[in-house]
């Protein structure tokens, strides 16, 4: 067992990023990380809550921290960076007693605020480590050229997120390399994709995510790999919209890193849900096979 | 004892909030006080004459002046009482200005406090002893640590002034950072052309002994009598035999040595002379990359050297030099730009530092003065200069301005246009600092005559795109984010303290600030002195500065040394510790706690005792408070003298409380 | 641009309020433009973020609170991460956005509506019901074709559920909103 954690799936894990939630659970099981769902977890408020008020937004997160405190766990982990930043910011700001009191006035009761909060990526990278994962690889991703994209808030600001380098994070790079993949240097690793503006200001997502897809092409990536449901949605689900807006012809699959880990560990489709991706993964795997053929 | 008390009005400065007449009247009643009066300006000529007359008229043997802070006029009044025939240490000051009248306007409270301070001073004075300074010989030789332009100037001025000079340089050649520059602002003089003759003067001056590839290991002693241990690092070459012909460099097969002189642009041979104008012009072997020293093979240089100067068995050598003064001129280093992850963190080959670019510009540099991109050797079209990299930046612990980067960036932009007329240079700046003579005109030249585009705003991020780099900056005057595709990016890195500066400071027992720059005695009035007698500062080790300022400080430090050596003997301050041998039990605690190493253990009739080395003791008093027996006492601040002050104060309060 | 009367138009109380809520000192900013340079949304803003900071230093309350920029900030933290004076610029933008909302400004109506619809969904079910959110957004903005093209891709893959996922404790979530609103009114 490599630890027991309270798991906060996040709202999109029930819908638009169901494959991320499932593949996360599957590989955690496989790698010995025990996940206990936070009982009756509620929405952290994501972006909208913090644009309205910080006490409200922290209270929405704090309720989940409170729910988790009833469990016997090593910490709280979540796959979604937006949920992560809300939970961590709430925990960080509640170190100030006056603010904590204001938050608790909105809740049913006091919060201990003692559990460490991390991303699933951090636990995989620090507790398990790329070397241990490499040993369990049965289907290496040799020949698959990936552009790793972390998204803007996973590692920023460094004082709160406290994991990996904030300009050039390498956790995902090293995990993918451990799987045998060819990781391309991707200079816009932490550049925002357009976030939640897809519905109300689609033009912004078109420009920002479009730029990321262009760069992935420039570095000859077969696919992008990401750790954020919103980034994945903007790049994958909206790829057709981007192509249309920019008269481009991108066919760039966008994987969740957990799906690729699962694939390399030889896990089956039910655990990975690769078929949920909009741009078909086969586009990338064909290119991977070509590289393997020309290498041999 | 007959004490005279003089309470100063200081015009209305003191008299405005202190009833000075009452203070004088109360002083008259104090024990041992034979005379008390108030005076308008005690420090003025009539004021001082008044004190001297009173001493003579009333036969006073001690004087208390209640006036300003001793830091202001203690020396003044001490000289006055000396003129009246008293020992200058039979004098005490009560600070009733900075400590009383300048604090508040409550006249009654101020007057009471002034009376207390005067009674404390009188009580101490009645316990004072006459003290006489001792004289000691001085060694009129000076050591200059650091062979950059500041050290070179100091060395030449001292040597021309008739002193014997020992110049110690850490690297294998003198010249410092200035020798790495191509041209200098604002005249665009060739750096080695103006520095070269001075460097040759050093090597030829009969009064100067030059140790290159040498570091200071330890310093003991005190002003006038320092002993410095030096480590002459082995170069594996006999510098007596080496003629600097350079044949060894031509034939050496190990060509991948990190080229320190060229800031890592390109590589050099394991045996090398750093640059053509090096002084001393002698070869050195880098042991880590020499095939003979690491693997036992090769040895080509040994075979072809025309004077058989190669010595593979040579080892480091310790040399001891005795000097009377030390000038520290150890210079600076440049900020490690790889800390800026947003600029690539060192991963992008064509993002280089200003000093690396300087080497590209230099005709004696690795590209023969042709500006080429390090990645592919092509000539760059768009060159972007970014100012304030590691300066004015709290987030990397460098809040200060380095002072010369705006100037050198303008210089580099001008030179770039000369080298590559078809190129376009951009400079991202926050402010332009150009305070010296012809400096602002120079930066304007870069903008007006040399078509450099200056953009006011920082650069947030650089990232590669194809074989170029996208530079994302801001033009705050235009109010917009801006982007340029650059072929080469030059970072104007800021200055920081030289590597090893704090360690050297500790050997010399001088202070340094939180950035590692050495601390001067007073930032305005004493910029080249330290608080350690006999140790002076010159150049960028005291703070980032340009060449004229460094040269100026080199000469200033030399002037200080020459004035120190103008007498044959120096006087030591008698306000130092003294051991009462009868009370000393030889426990050695004072020896351990003395921060200056001024106390030694001696044998006194077969018993260990402490002995104060008078010339080193700085009079801090730590030993006095450490000694369990009260055997070691700081003269003029003995336990009994201080207790007399305490008794005077507390007894008065006790009386008041009981009334 | 009109001449700004520095003394008369500078709202010191506004500056103090922003400093208190954001826990940042506005005078620390030396207007280097690093934030604007790295902001991915600069091209969409009416005032680039460093200018918002300058307007804040000059106490220009109305200009700031009525700007579009505040609503287009994604809190991506590029500015905060790179500010040489260690100012949490993203937090200041969020605080200004709070104040703009409270003062009744919403120049980016669609953005506000989206966020409001999201929070309504959370208040009602305890978790976001994505279909409900979009439906509400469309109802309020009248933009009936919003992402209609995406439904074609999402539905067959089961990425959109037609039913919300209410939680057992949805009352306690609703109470958070209720208490928040009550506190604001008082």
């Amino acid at each position: 067992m490599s630890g027991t954690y309270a798991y906060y799936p996040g709202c999109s894990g029930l819908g638009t990023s169901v494959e991320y939630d499932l593949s996360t659970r599957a590989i955690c099981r496989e790698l010995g990380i025990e996940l206990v769902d936070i009982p009756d977890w509620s929405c952290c408020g994501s972006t909208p809550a913090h644009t309205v008020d910080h006490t409200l937004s922290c209270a929405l997160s704090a309720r989940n921290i409170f729910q988790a405190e009833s469990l016997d766990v090593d910490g709280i982990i979540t796959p979604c960076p937006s949920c992560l930043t809300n939970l961590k910011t709430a925990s960080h700001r509640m170190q100030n007693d006056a603010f904590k009191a204001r938050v608790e006035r909105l809740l049913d009761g006091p919060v201990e605020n003692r559990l460490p909060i991390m991303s699933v990526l951090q636990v995989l990278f620090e507790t398990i480590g790329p070397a241990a994962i490499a040993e369990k690889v049965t289907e290496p991703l040799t020949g698959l050229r990936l552009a790793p994209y972390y998204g803007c808030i996973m590692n920023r600001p460094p004082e709160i997120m406290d994991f990996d380098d904030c300009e050039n994070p390498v956790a995902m790079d090293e995990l993918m390399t451990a799987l045998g993949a060819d990781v391309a240097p991707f200079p816009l690793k932490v550049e925002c994709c357009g976030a939640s503006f897809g519905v109300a200001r689609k033009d912004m997502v078109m420009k920002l995510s479009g730029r990321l897809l262009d760069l992935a092409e420039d570095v000859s990536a077969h696919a992008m790999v990401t750790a954020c449901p919103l980034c994945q949605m903007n790049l994958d689900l909206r790829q057709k919209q981007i192509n249309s807006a920019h008269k481009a012809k991108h066919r760039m699959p966008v994987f969740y890193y957990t799906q690729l880990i699962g694939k390399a560990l030889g896990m089956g489709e039910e655990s990975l849900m690769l078929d949920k991706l909009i741009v078909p993964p086969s586009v990338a795997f064909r290119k991977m096979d070509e590289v393997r053929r020309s290498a041999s | 004892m007959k004490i005279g008390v003089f309470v100063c009005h200081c015009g209305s400065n003191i008299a405005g909030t202190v009833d000075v007449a009452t203070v004088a009247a109360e002083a008259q009643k104090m024990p041992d006080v034979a005379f008390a009066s108030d005076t308008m300006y005690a420090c003025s000529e009539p004021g001082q004459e008044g004190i001297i007359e009173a001493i003579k008229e009333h036969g006073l043997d001690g004087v208390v002046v209640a006036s300003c802070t001793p830091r202001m006029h203690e020396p003044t009044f001490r000289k006055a009482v000396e003129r009246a025939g008293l020992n200058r240490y039979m004098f005490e000051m009560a600070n009733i200005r900075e400590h009383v009248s300048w604090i508040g306007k409550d006249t009654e409270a101020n007057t009471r406090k002034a009376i207390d301070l005067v009674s404390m001073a009188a009580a101490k004075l009645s316990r004072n002893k006459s003290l006489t300074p001792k004289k000691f010989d001085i060694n009129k030789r000076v050591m200059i640590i650091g062979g950059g332009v500041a050290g070179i100037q100091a060395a030449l001025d001292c040597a021309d002034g008739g002193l014997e000079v020992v110049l110690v340089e850490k690297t294998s050649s003198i010249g410092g950072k200035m020798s790495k520059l191509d041209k200098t602002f604002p005249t665009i003089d060739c750096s080695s052309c103006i520095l070269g003759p001075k460097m040759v003067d050093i090597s030829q001056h009969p009064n100067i002994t030059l140790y290159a590839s040498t570091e200071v290991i330890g310093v003991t002693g005190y002003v006038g009598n320092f002993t410095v241990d030096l480590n002459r690092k082995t170069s594996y070459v006999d510098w007596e035999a080496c003629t600097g012909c350079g044949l060894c460099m031509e034939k050496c097969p190990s060509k991948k040595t990190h080229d320190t002189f060229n800031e890592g642009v390109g590589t050099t041979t394991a045996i090398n002379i750093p640059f053509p104008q090096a002084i001393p012009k002698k070869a050195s072997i880098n042991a880590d990359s020499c095939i003979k020293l690491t693997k036992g093979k090769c040895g080509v240089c040994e075979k072809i050297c025309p004077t058989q100067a190669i010595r593979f068995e040579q080892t480091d050598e310790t040399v001891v030099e005795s000097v009377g003064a030390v000038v520290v001129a150890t210079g600076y280093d440049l900020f490690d730009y790889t800390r800026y992850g947003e600029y690539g963190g060192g991963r992008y080959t064509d993002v280089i530092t200003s000093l690396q670019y300087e080497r590209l510009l230099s005709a004696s540099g690795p590209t023969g003065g042709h500006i080429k991109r390090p990645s592919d050797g092509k000539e760059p079209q768009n060159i972007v200069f970014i100012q304030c990299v590691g300066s004015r930046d709290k987030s990397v612990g460098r809040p200060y301005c380095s002072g010369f980067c705006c100037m050198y960036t303008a210089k580099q932009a001008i030179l770039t246009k000369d080298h590559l007329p078809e190129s376009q240079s951009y400079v991202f700046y926050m402010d332009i600092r150009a305070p010296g003579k012809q400096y602002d005109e120079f930066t304007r030249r870069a903008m007006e005559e040399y078509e450099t585009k200056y953009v006011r705003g920082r650069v947030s991020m650089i990232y590669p795109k194809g074989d170029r780099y996208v530079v994302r900056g801001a033009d705050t005057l235009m109010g917009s984010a801006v982007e340029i595709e650059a072929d080469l990016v030059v970072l104007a890195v800021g200055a920081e303290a030289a590597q090893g500066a704090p360690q050297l400071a500790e050997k010399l027992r001088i202070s340094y600030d939180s950035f590692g720059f050495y601390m001067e005695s007073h930032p305005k009035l004493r910029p080249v002195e330290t608080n350690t007698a006999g140790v002076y500062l010159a150049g960028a080790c005291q703070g980032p500065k340009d060449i004229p300022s460094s040269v100026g400080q080199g000469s200033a430090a030399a002037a200080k040394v020459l004035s120190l050596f103008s007498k044959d003997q120096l006087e030591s301050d008698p306000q130092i510790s003294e051991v009462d041998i009868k009370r000393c039990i030889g426990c050695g605690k004072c020896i351990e706690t003395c921060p200056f190493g001024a106390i030694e253990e001696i044998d006194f009739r077969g018993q260990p005792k402490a002995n104060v080395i008078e010339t080193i003791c700085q009079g801090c008093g730590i030993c006095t408070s450490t000694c369990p027996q009260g055997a070691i006492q700081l003269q003029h601040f003995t336990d009994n003298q201080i207790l007399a002050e305490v008794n005077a104060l507390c007894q008065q309060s006790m009386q008041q409380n009981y009334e | 641009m009109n001449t700004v009367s520095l003394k008369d138009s500078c709202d010191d109380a506004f500056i103090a309020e922003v400093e208190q809520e954001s826990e940042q000192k506005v005078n620390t900013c030396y207007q280097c433009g690093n934030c604007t340079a790295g902001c991915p949304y600069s091209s969409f803003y009416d005032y680039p973020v460093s200018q918002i900071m300058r307007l804040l230093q000059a106490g220009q309350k109305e200009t700031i609170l009525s700007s579009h920029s505040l609503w287009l900030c994604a809190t991506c933290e590029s500015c905060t991460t790179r500010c040489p004076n260690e100012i949490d610029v993203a937090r200041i933008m969020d605080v200004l956005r709070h104040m703009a909302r409270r003062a009744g400004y919403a120049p980016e109506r669609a953005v506000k509506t989206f966020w409001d619809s999201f929070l309504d969904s959370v208040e009602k079910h305890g978790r976001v019901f994505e279909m409900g959110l979009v439906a509400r957004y469309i109802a309020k903005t009248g933009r009936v074709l919003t992402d209609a093209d995406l439904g074609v891709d999402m539905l067959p893959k089961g990425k959109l559920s037609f039913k919300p996922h209410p939680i057992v404790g949805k009352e306690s979530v609703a109470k958070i909103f209720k208490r928040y609103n009550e506190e604001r009114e008082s």
Side-chain angles (χ1 to χ4, degrees):
Chain A
M1 269 287 122
S2 302
T4 307
Y5 296 92
Y7 183 62
Y8 183 81
C11 301
S12 61
L14 304 165
T16 45
S17 67
V18 62
E19 66 271 43
Y20 188 27
D21 179 53
L22 232 90
S23 55
T24 298
R25 292 177 190 273
I27 65 162
C28 281
R29 227 177 1 249
E30 184 71 22
L31 294 167
I33 298 172
E34 192 189 336
L35 302 178
V36 180
D37 278 34
I38 294 179
D40 211 34
W41 61 270
S42 53
C43 180
C44 69
S46 191
T47 300
H50 76 67
T51 69
V52 172
D53 183 87
H54 286 159
T55 315
L56 171 68
S57 136
C58 288
L60 290 170
S61 289
R63 179 183 175 276
N64 293 291
I65 296 175
F66 173 78
Q67 296 290 103
E69 281 164 358
S70 64
L71 304 167
D72 179 21
V73 288
D74 299 320
I76 301 173
I77 63 174
T78 176
C80 168
S82 181
C83 306
L84 181 69
T85 190
N86 281 327
L87 291 167
K88 283 188 86 103
T89 303
S91 178
H92 182 85
R93 297 220 179 125
M94 285 199 293
Q95 278 164 30
N96 175 300
D97 291 331
F99 182 76
K100 185 164 182 281
R102 282 211 308 276
V103 170
E104 284 169 343
R105 276 207 299 273
L106 300 184
L107 299 173
D108 289 331
V111 188
E112 279 172 66
N113 194 22
R114 62 173 161 84
L115 289 171
I117 304 170
M118 291 164 286
S119 58
V120 174
L121 179 61
Q122 181 171 3
V123 171
L124 286 172
F125 185 69
E126 291 179 352
T127 315
I128 314 276
I133 293 177
E135 273 171 34
K136 295 187 160 184
V137 169
T138 53
E139 290 176 29
L141 304 174
T142 324
L144 182 63
R145 188 164 168 84
L146 297 169
Y149 174 63
Y150 292 72
C152 59
I153 49 176
M154 165 88 84
N155 307 100
R156 310 192 302 187
E159 298 77 41
I160 307 243
M161 302 312 264
D162 195 22
F163 168 55
D164 215 346
D165 186 85
C166 60
E167 293 290 346
N168 183 35
V170 293
M172 214 166 32
D173 292 49
E174 290 189 23
L175 287 175
M176 294 300 109
T177 307
L179 305 178
D182 169 25
V183 179
F186 190 65
L188 296 182
K189 272 178 179 175
V190 295
E191 186 79 353
C192 190
C193 65
S196 58
F197 287 106
V199 170
R201 282 293 300 258
K202 197 167 87 180
D203 59 321
M204 304 208 297
V205 174
M206 295 298 102
K207 176 168 177 189
L208 297 180
S209 286
R211 186 156 54 191
L212 295 169
L213 287 167
D214 288 342
L215 186 62
E217 293 269 2
D218 283 349
V219 301
S220 311
H222 301 155
M224 291 181 76
V225 57
T226 174
C228 168
L230 196 46
C231 300
Q232 201 279 343
M233 185 168 94
N234 282 340
L235 293 164
D236 183 34
L237 183 63
R238 295 190 183 278
Q239 205 169 117
K240 268 200 215 127
Q241 291 178 336
I242 293 169
N243 281 341
S244 172
H246 296 165
K247 312 235 186 310
K249 293 199 176 75
H250 293 297
R251 280 279 273 174
M252 178 77 64
V254 183
F255 293 101
Y256 286 105
Y257 75 98
T258 45
Q259 293 175 309
L260 290 179
I261 292 180
K263 179 152 171 66
L265 297 184
M267 292 167 74
E269 178 52 25
E270 8 30 91
S271 304
L272 308 180
M273 290 192 157
L274 287 169
D275 64 337
K276 295 254 185 240
L277 301 178
I278 309 297
V279 178
S282 54
V283 172
F285 294 139
R286 263 202 307 277
K287 293 186 184 161
M288 175 180 82
D289 290 336
E290 262 172 52
V291 171
R292 289 181 182 180
R293 268 198 303 271
S294 52
S296 56
Chain B
M1 189 153 182
K2 293 168 94 180
I3 295 175
V5 176
F6 303 85
V7 187
C8 184
H9 285 235
C10 196
S12 62
N13 226 332
I14 295 175
T17 59
V18 177
D19 183 350
V20 289
T22 304
V23 177
E26 288 301 308
Q28 187 77 59
K29 302 178 196 160
M30 291 171 192
D32 288 334
V33 174
F35 174 84
S37 79
D38 53 296
T39 168
M40 199 47 68
Y41 294 101
C43 58
S44 66
E45 210 188 335
Q48 290 187 46
E49 284 308 307
I51 294 174
I52 294 172
E53 266 177 45
I55 291 173
K56 293 189 179 139
E57 202 183 308
H58 299 271
L60 304 173
D61 47 19
V63 165
V64 171
V65 172
S67 64
C68 51
T69 168
R71 280 173 166 253
M72 192 84 203
H73 281 314
E74 185 172 66
T76 313
F77 293 123
R78 277 183 175 173
K79 286 198 210 118
V81 306
E82 222 172 35
R83 285 204 303 278
L86 298 182
N87 181 281
R88 58 167 62 189
Y89 295 96
M90 298 309 287
F91 165 76
E92 285 296 320
M93 269 180 93
N95 181 350
I96 62 169
R97 191 179 74 171
E98 280 84 342
H99 285 186
V100 181
S101 77
W102 278 6
I103 297 175
K105 299 218 167 98
D106 184 342
T107 307
E108 214 188 296
N110 284 356
T111 308
R112 272 206 307 273
K113 183 172 176 183
I115 294 169
D116 280 346
L117 290 173
V118 169
S119 82
M120 285 163 73
K124 177 172 184 289
L125 180 56
S126 63
R127 306 286 186 135
N128 278 7
K129 263 183 15 202
S130 293
L131 298 172
T132 317
K134 298 227 179 77
K135 289 190 197 253
F136 56 94
D137 287 333
I138 43 176
N139 182 353
K140 293 188 185 179
R141 296 176 87 231
V142 60
M143 176 174 289
I144 319 273
I145 306 177
V149 70
I152 287 172
Q153 189 60 46
L156 288 172
D157 286 346
C158 286
D160 286 342
L163 302 179
E164 270 181 58
V165 177
V166 177
L167 178 57
V168 178
E169 165 55 42
K170 182 168 73 171
T171 66
S172 61
S173 165
I174 56 173
K177 296 289 184 297
M178 190 175 169
S179 62
K180 297 194 192 202
L181 303 178
D182 175 34
K183 307 279 193 298
T184 54
F185 57 79
T187 49
I188 311 281
D189 274 314
C190 157
S191 181
S192 26
C193 303
I194 55 177
L195 183 62
K198 284 193 193 273
M199 287 168 60
V200 174
D201 283 348
I202 295 272
S203 70
Q204 309 217 322
H205 205 297
N207 288 351
I208 299 178
T209 306
L210 170 61
Y211 291 111
S213 291
T214 302
E215 285 191 66
V216 171
I217 316 174
V219 181
T220 54
Y222 50 94
V223 59
N225 294 282
F226 290 111
T227 306
V228 185
D229 292 331
L230 302 168
N231 180 33
R232 297 190 71 180
K233 293 179 290 201
T234 178
S235 55
Y236 302 98
V237 176
D238 180 355
W239 282 5
E240 302 288 310
C242 175
T243 60
C245 68
L247 202 52
C248 51
M249 271 188 86
E250 282 173 42
K251 301 290 184 197
C252 176
S254 170
K255 297 189 196 294
K256 292 270 168 63
T257 309
H258 177 82
D259 192 341
T260 320
F261 184 77
N262 280 313
E263 295 288 306
V265 179
T267 53
T268 185
T269 43
I271 187 167
N272 71 75
I273 298 167
F275 57 103
Q277 304 93 335
I279 297 283
K281 185 137 189 259
K282 310 284 179 190
S284 301
I285 300 181
N286 181 322
D288 295 325
S289 45
C290 168
I291 300 174
K292 177 79 177 192
L293 290 170
T294 50
K295 298 193 191 125
K297 302 204 185 116
C298 185
V300 166
C301 52
E302 189 176 31
K303 296 184 194 114
I304 52 131
C305 174
T307 54
Q308 286 92 49
I310 311 293
R311 304 270 180 278
F312 287 116
E313 347 66 47
Q314 196 187 73
T315 51
D316 290 359
E317 193 195 325
T318 308
V319 176
V320 180
E321 286 284 356
S322 299
V323 293
V326 176
V327 176
V328 189
T330 46
Y332 66 99
D333 273 327
L334 291 173
F335 178 78
D336 176 13
Y337 77 97
T338 62
R339 290 176 60 182
Y340 280 91
E342 58 264 53
Y343 295 167
R347 294 188 310 276
Y348 304 150
T349 330
D350 299 316
V351 174
I352 61 177
T353 68
S354 46
L355 202 52
Q356 287 174 324
Y357 191 59
E358 198 77 22
R359 295 314 304 151
L360 291 179
L361 287 168
S362 169
S364 63
T367 57
H370 297 291
I371 303 173
K372 295 181 186 170
R373 280 161 41 106
S375 60
D376 55 14
K378 292 203 191 121
E379 276 180 10
Q381 162 60 27
N382 280 353
I383 299 148
V384 172
F385 295 87
I386 303 178
Q387 290 188 182
C388 294
V389 177
S391 298
R392 304 184 63 193
D393 191 336
K394 267 181 223 165
S395 68
V396 293
R398 301 280 184 276
Y400 55 84
C401 168
S402 295
F404 46 44
C405 327
C406 288
M407 290 306 297
Y408 75 54
T409 301
K411 172 195 72 174
Q412 291 186 334
I414 288 175
L415 294 174
T416 304
K417 197 66 172 173
D418 280 338
H419 283 241
L420 302 172
E422 305 303 308
S423 66
Q424 178 62 59
S425 291
Y426 298 84
V427 176
F428 280 92
Y429 71 100
M430 294 199 282
D431 294 285
I432 299 295
R433 272 100 202 256
K437 256 191 181 172
Q438 295 291 308
Y439 279 22
D440 203 78
E441 296 92 317
F442 183 78
T443 55
R444 292 302 311 169
R445 254 177 92 196
M447 297 176 215
E448 292 168 11
E449 287 174 39
Y450 285 80
E451 292 164 3
T452 313
K453 293 201 200 278
Y454 271 67
V455 180
R456 200 263 161 204
R458 268 179 90 99
V459 168
S460 171
M461 188 180 163
I462 304 171
Y463 66 92
K465 187 172 169 202
D467 60 357
R468 306 183 95 188
Y469 298 84
V470 176
V471 174
R472 258 210 214 146
D475 186 329
T476 64
L477 298 177
M478 208 156 64
S480 140
V482 296
E483 262 185 25
I484 304 180
E485 279 193 27
D487 297 297
L488 185 64
V489 180
V490 180
L491 305 177
V493 281
E496 56 179 37
Q499 279 254 327
Q503 290 77 10
L504 179 63
E506 280 164 29
K507 293 188 176 117
L508 290 162
R509 295 193 217 269
I510 59 176
S511 308
Y512 51 96
D513 64 17
S514 57
F515 304 115
F517 291 112
Y518 296 150
M519 287 190 61
E520 59 290 296
S521 280
H522 189 281
K524 291 282 204 195
L525 298 179
R526 297 165 74 187
V528 296
E529 296 160 83
T530 65
N531 283 337
T532 305
V535 181
Y536 304 95
L537 304 174
C541 63
Q542 181 255 352
K545 56 178 63 69
D546 57 13
I547 291 166
S549 308
S550 297
V551 171
Q553 281 202 342
S555 291
K560 293 288 176 190
V561 172
L562 287 161
S563 107
L564 177 73
F565 290 174
S566 63
K567 304 191 258 292
D568 286 330
Q569 289 192 311
L570 293 179
E571 263 184 19
S572 61
D573 189 335
Q575 289 171 117
I576 53 173
S577 287
E578 201 178 81
V579 179
D580 181 348
I581 283 250
K582 298 190 299 297
R583 299 185 80 138
C584 175
I585 57 172
C587 69
K589 286 199 173 119
C590 56
I591 300 173
E592 282 168 34
T593 51
C594 175
F596 302 97
I599 311 178
E600 56 179 2
E601 188 184 287
I602 54 161
D603 181 281
F604 184 77
R605 298 179 190 163
Q607 286 188 325
K609 298 281 182 188
N611 179 54
V612 177
I613 306 169
E614 288 164 358
T615 39
I616 307 182
C617 175
Q618 300 293 307
C620 71
I622 289 179
C623 55
T624 305
S625 48
T626 306
C627 179
Q629 301 294 318
I632 189 167
Q633 292 288 316
L634 179 57
Q635 299 306 295
H636 205 61
F637 296 98
T638 63
D639 288 346
N640 286 339
Q641 286 164 352
I642 296 175
L643 284 171
E645 289 184 308
V646 174
N647 283 339
L649 181 65
C650 295
Q651 277 171 357
Q652 295 225 1
S653 303
M654 273 166 60
Q655 248 177 317
Q656 273 163 11
N657 285 339
Y658 279 123
E659 276 161 13
Chain C
M1 221 179 159
N2 288 332
T3 305
V4 172
S5 161
L6 282 181
K7 184 93 172 71
D8 297 337
S9 68
C10 176
D11 189 334
D12 287 312
F14 167 67
I15 302 175
E17 199 187 337
V18 176
E19 286 192 326
Q20 206 219 15
E21 270 191 49
S22 65
E23 296 178 303
Q24 305 298 307
K25 276 200 67 72
V26 143
N27 283 341
T28 330
C29 169
Y30 57 23
Q31 286 289 299
C32 67
N34 215 27
C35 46
T36 294
C39 175
Y41 297 83
S42 270
S43 53
F44 301 105
Y45 283 10
D46 49 352
Y47 293 98
V49 55
S50 57
Q51 268 193 355
I52 298 273
M53 288 299 292
R54 181 68 200 141
L55 289 164
L56 177 58
Q57 287 178 329
Q60 303 297 303
K61 181 175 178 180
E62 292 311 303
T63 315
I64 296 173
L65 295 189
S66 60
S67 69
H68 286 248
S69 306
L70 303 182
W71 298 89
L72 301 178
C73 167
T75 321
C76 77
E77 305 283 348
S78 300
C79 49
T80 296
T81 305
R82 295 178 185 149
C83 175
N85 292 311
E86 299 180 309
I87 302 170
D88 192 342
V89 185
R91 190 167 173 188
I92 293 178
M93 288 294 273
D94 227 13
V95 164
L96 291 170
R97 186 163 35 201
H98 299 168
M99 293 169 76
R101 178 184 271 268
R102 293 201 294 263
Y105 292 99
E108 290 282 328
R109 196 134 286 280
V111 173
K112 178 172 184 292
T113 306
F114 179 76
W115 288 338
D116 288 346
S117 307
F118 185 105
L119 290 173
D120 287 343
S121 184
V122 175
E123 190 175 359
K124 201 158 149 195
H125 307 292
R127 292 180 194 166
V128 173
F129 170 37
E130 282 162 329
M131 278 278 270
L133 153 63
V134 176
R136 204 175 165 81
Y137 171 81
I138 290 176
K140 286 184 152 182
T141 57
R143 296 183 179 182
V144 290
L145 289 175
T146 302
D147 284 338
D149 52 335
L150 299 185
V152 171
D153 289 318
M154 295 211 286
L155 285 168
K157 294 199 186 254
K159 289 186 129 180
L160 262 187
S161 52
F162 283 91
K163 280 195 320 184
H165 318 276
I167 58 169
V168 172
K170 66 180 181 171
E171 291 305 318
S172 66
V173 176
K175 260 194 257 172
I176 294 176
F177 283 90
K178 183 154 162 286
R179 290 172 185 139
Y180 166 70
N181 287 325
E182 275 164 12
E183 274 199 20
R184 247 190 351 114
E185 255 126 61
S186 62

